[in-house]
Amino acid sequence: MSDTARTNGTVLTAALVVVLCGAEVAVIGSGMGDGARYGLGAVVLVALLAAVHRLSRAARRSSR
């Protein structure tokens, strides 16, 4: 994979983390019912953790 493609992927993943953080705050602060809020919040949280894990792997690869 080229450095440019890796950098673009890292930037997109970092942007996704920011968007997911905002989505998590919006879900938690929304007026939805508890079940829907917790369910949707859990889905967003799992996606957020996956994106952070992907960023950490990219950081480890770039430091080698």
Side-chain angles (χ1 to χ4, degrees):
M1 181 186 270
S2 71
D3 288 337
T4 303
R6 185 175 299 142
T7 302
N8 288 341
T10 302
V11 169
L12 288 175
T13 304
L16 179 62
V17 167
V18 172
V19 170
L20 288 171
C21 285
E24 187 70 25
V25 169
V27 167
I28 290 172
S30 72
M32 290 190 287
D34 285 346
R37 189 171 58 206
Y38 294 148
L40 187 57
V43 169
V44 172
L45 182 61
V46 167
L48 181 60
L49 291 174
V52 168
H53 176 69
R54 187 172 176 171
L55 274 177
S56 70
R57 281 193 341 204
R60 263 187 266 139
R61 268 192 238 130
S62 69
S63 67
R64 290 182 187 175

